[in-house]
Amino acid sequence: MELCGVPLRGPVLNGSGTFDAIAARRAFGDALLERFPFHAFVSKTITVAPREGNPPPRLWETPAGLINSIGLPNKGLEGFLASDLPELAELPVPLIVSVMGFSRDELATLVEAVAQRPEVAMIELNVSCPNVETGLVMGADPAETARALERVRPLSERPLIVKLTPNASEPEAVAAAAQEAGADAVSLINTLKGMALDPDGRGHWLGGGSGGVSGAAVRAIALQQVYAVAARVTIPVIGMGGIESGRHALDFLSAGATAVAVGTESFRDPGAGRRIAAELAALEARGVADRDAAPPPEVGMTQTGDSPPTFFRR
Ligand SMILES: Cc1cc2nc3c(=O)[nH]c(=O)nc-3n(C[C@H](O)[C@H](O)[C@H](O)COP(=O)(O)O)c2cc1C
């Protein structure tokens, strides 16, 4: 298959920030490269300046997933290009670099620098942050998203993926604006806003105050948003949010996604991407076999008006 013209051996990616391939390589050595869990690798989001991230604690486990308040710790653009990119370029799959700017100028600086590197197959724009100039979250507003895209589109020949936030009143309108302004694909969902309180009554549990909810708890929301977005745009949709099995991945593909990403499940099982890809392939093979074995429709069967909702694969 291919995604935005980039050949992929399958449709399973990682969600940005949920799998540290550099740390995993240190832990597992070249075995990681031989059994790499994903068909493309998305980097942790980088910013122009280095960031420490939020004070601990940064994670809270919910009955069905996580709340994280990591706060985008990263080495900054220069540090990433000098030390992380060469390591990520050794991965056996196409590399997608995730970037976030706190203004359109910052976003432009990031896209321009990253797009020049031949190791990078695609760029993901994480627009789930407030624009310091307007106070608006770029990805929560179609016009803000379009302005960001219009600014960076001429700076990159690499495909641009816009990572949508579910904390928008109408993610499909944001997706349509992104497509109109030149995005090559959209990915969704990022985390939903959430918080947890310290069980000992000391206020917020997370050092950053509130955080982002992910995992099984968000799957139904993600599936609906992927369905709505895929119905609105013609560019590829990368679906994610609580995917834990091949069945879940197939649901997202059936709802209109071209590819899927695995996030929180990789914390429980670092090999989850590989397992989910194998489960998905088995389900798809079974589906094809079942279809081939299905008896032909009875002669004289009539069509009623109540057809089930149409789900589709691209
Ligand atoms: C610990 C953690 C860190 C994350 N960091 C990022 C990030 O740096 N950039 C980003 O776009 N999304 C980030 N995400 C969001 C995930 O990529 C994904 O969109 C979201 O978690 C939903 O998928 P999931 O339910 O499978 O985890 C992070 C999620 C978690 C749990």
Side-chain angles (χ1 to χ4, degrees):
M1 66 169 284
E2 52 93 25
L3 184 63
C4 306
V6 176
L8 298 187
R9 283 196 292 269
V12 181
L13 286 56
N14 63 299
S16 171
T18 60
F19 189 92
D20 185 340
I22 295 175
R25 176 95 188 267
R26 260 176 225 127
F28 302 111
D30 287 348
L32 177 78
L33 306 185
E34 282 148 29
R35 296 172 61 80
F36 197 68
F38 309 106
H39 298 121
F41 183 74
V42 186
S43 78
K44 167 94 193 145
T45 298
I46 60 161
T47 51
V48 172
R51 287 171 61 92
E52 292 277 323
N54 288 332
R58 290 172 164 184
L59 289 177
W60 172 266
E61 197 172 337
T62 74
L66 288 177
I67 309 177
N68 87 81
S69 170
I70 308 283
L72 296 178
N74 75 96
K75 294 176 181 151
L77 177 60
E78 273 181 34
F80 174 81
L81 294 177
S83 59
D84 288 358
L85 187 56
E87 291 199 57
L88 295 178
E90 289 180 13
L91 299 178
V93 296
L95 176 63
I96 302 172
V97 174
S98 168
V99 301
M100 177 190 270
F102 293 96
S103 66
R104 286 193 288 278
D105 283 348
E106 276 198 8
L107 199 58
T109 302
L110 289 155
V111 168
E112 195 168 25
V114 170
Q116 282 170 14
R117 298 295 294 252
E119 306 93 318
V120 177
M122 297 185 238
I123 300 175
E124 184 169 81
L125 310 176
N126 176 354
V127 289
S128 301
C129 67
N131 180 337
V132 288
E133 287 149 2
T134 61
L136 290 171
V137 171
M138 283 186 194
D141 181 67
E144 275 279 315
T145 301
R147 278 194 288 272
L149 252 290
E150 281 156 11
R151 176 70 195 280
V152 299
R153 179 67 279 181
L155 305 174
S156 169
E157 285 177 5
R158 300 269 187 276
L160 296 177
I161 304 167
V162 174
K163 174 126 178 218
L164 301 171
T165 168
N167 304 310
S169 56
E170 220 194 332
E172 56 271 37
V174 180
Q179 170 172 297
E180 177 80 6
D184 298 285
V186 289
S187 58
L188 72 156
I189 60 173
N190 210 319
T191 53
L192 284 141
K193 275 186 201 160
M195 69 178 229
L197 294 181
D198 186 327
D200 292 334
R202 286 189 289 254
H204 285 288
W205 170 262
L206 294 164
S210 62
V213 185
S214 64
V218 309
R219 191 167 55 246
I221 298 163
L223 192 60
Q224 188 280 330
Q225 294 200 0
V226 165
Y227 181 64
V229 165
R232 184 72 87 85
V233 299
T234 53
I235 52 179
V237 175
I238 302 164
M240 73 193 92
I243 294 178
E244 296 175 331
S245 68
R247 177 79 252 170
H248 299 154
L250 187 58
D251 287 350
F252 279 75
L253 295 173
S254 303
T258 297
V260 295
V262 176
T264 301
E265 181 65 359
S266 294
F267 287 82
R268 207 182 57 73
D269 168 14
R274 206 177 149 83
R275 170 179 56 78
I276 289 167
E279 290 170 1
L280 175 64
L283 280 172
E284 292 195 305
R286 207 172 73 194
V288 171
D290 287 354
R291 236 185 0 252
D292 288 349
E298 283 173 42
V299 177
M301 200 166 76
T302 51
Q303 176 85 33
T304 72
D306 298 327
S307 35
T310 309
F311 291 90
F312 50 91
R313 291 290 305 274
R314 293 186 180 198

